[in-house]
Amino acid sequence: MRAVRGSSRPRGGAAHGTAPRPSGGWTPWFYLAPALLVLGGLLVYPVYQLGLISLFRYTQAQVSGGRPAAFRGAGNYTDLFSDGQFWQVLLATVVFAAACVVSTLAVGCALAVLLTRVRAVPRLALMLAALGAWATPAVTGSTVWLLLFDPDFGPVNRVLGLGDHSWTYGRYSAFLLVLLEVVWCSFPFVMVTVYAGIRAVPSEVLEAAALDGASQWRIWRSVLAPMLRPILTVVTIQSVIWDFKVFTQIYVMTNGGGIAGQNLVLNVYAYQKAFASSQYGLGSAIGVVMVLILLAVTLVYLRVLRRQGEEL
């Protein structure tokens, strides 16, 4: 009996109620190594080259080999930050990207909630329409929206009775037109992701909130949104990155930045400096600034969520 009792006693760390530590060491890194190598080749090296070129005077003469690249250090950044147009474009980019993010999240979340309220056939039709918008190339979608809002042949002006009003002539109307197209092609990602998160919420929680007399807006604000915060974090960060570096829609719909550059954003501004003006070093400096801004925004957002007790 003593031997039996002695044999049933747990050994090692289990005697103190602690689970044994999993052994592995470098094993996870071996599994991640192929993906890390691909990311290093596709992301890290181009960013390194971007930062390197931003430190040199690199124009068409250096590209063709007629002159050697001259090291400028922070010269390109000094020229950039002393340019008043850069600050105007930066402000316009931040405001435009913020408007796109808020609008995309609002439309995507509203339609995600709607998907949970409609029957199977309308749900399938809405999902197919949204995925069609998501799959449409940016150039094609921008061209279609230009045709819809064309001052001569577009159906929108006829329905609204605006005559030959040009949406791309004014600065704010052009930004509004581009914003609508960006939201149209971006909301499906938010809608599908949030809808999947809502379906994972236990139905008992929603039924209890409804029995307590909570409205749909109250259920979303007090029940769904807190439970979906990790998912909302992902879609928000993705939307910030996508909308801050919008290029195709602005370039196509405003013909390269609008009249006298009134609709320029940082990505189009960098393109003009690098390729239209052959100032590749200055264009690279703008690209580096964009990368740093996006990294800062993402890190600050994640830090705020961690302070609120969210596990990411």
Side-chain angles (χ1 to χ4, degrees), residues 36-234:
L36 292 177
L37 289 176
V38 172
L39 289 176
L42 297 179
L43 181 62
V44 177
Y45 182 74
V47 171
Y48 163 75
Q49 286 291 335
L50 185 72
L52 184 63
I53 294 176
S54 70
L55 301 177
F56 287 84
R57 183 187 300 277
Y58 204 75
T59 62
Q60 190 61 39
Q62 283 76 27
V63 173
S64 61
R67 294 180 182 177
F71 181 76
R72 295 197 65 197
N76 288 325
Y77 295 95
T78 303
D79 295 343
L80 183 64
F81 295 147
S82 61
D83 186 5
Q85 186 182 17
F86 166 74
W87 296 106
Q88 295 176 3
V89 174
L90 176 60
L91 177 61
T93 304
V94 171
V95 174
F96 176 74
C100 288
V101 171
V102 172
S103 302
T104 302
L105 291 177
V107 173
C109 292
L111 292 178
V113 175
L114 178 63
L115 286 177
T116 64
R117 301 295 175 184
V118 297
R119 296 183 181 273
V121 175
R123 184 188 308 124
L124 179 61
L126 181 56
M127 292 284 284
L128 291 177
L131 292 178
W134 174 256
T136 303
V139 175
T140 304
S142 301
T143 304
V144 170
W145 275 78
L146 280 179
L147 293 175
L148 291 175
F149 288 83
D150 186 82
D152 297 322
F153 307 104
V156 174
N157 281 3
R158 295 182 181 180
V159 172
L160 298 179
L162 297 178
D164 58 351
H165 172 72
S166 176
W167 290 82
T168 57
Y169 182 79
R171 182 187 186 191
Y172 298 108
S173 61
F175 270 129
L176 176 61
L177 182 60
V178 178
L179 181 145
L180 293 175
E181 200 279 335
V182 170
V183 172
W184 174 77
C185 67
S186 301
F187 83 85
F189 170 74
V190 178
M191 183 190 73
V192 173
T193 306
V194 175
Y195 172 71
I198 294 176
R199 299 298 296 179
V201 175
S203 58
E204 294 82 2
V205 176
L206 302 179
E207 292 175 359
L211 290 175
D212 289 338
S215 62
Q216 294 299 322
W217 167 246
R218 183 72 176 181
I219 292 175
W220 167 260
R221 185 166 61 92
S222 301
V223 179
L224 287 176
M227 299 183 70
L228 298 176
R229 188 169 294 175
I231 294 177
L232 294 176
T233 300
V234 173

Side-chain angles (χ1 to χ4, degrees), residues 1-11:
M1 293 297 293
R2 293 182 180 178
V4 173
R5 291 178 181 177
S7 62
S8 63
R9 181 180 299 174
R11 298 180 180 179

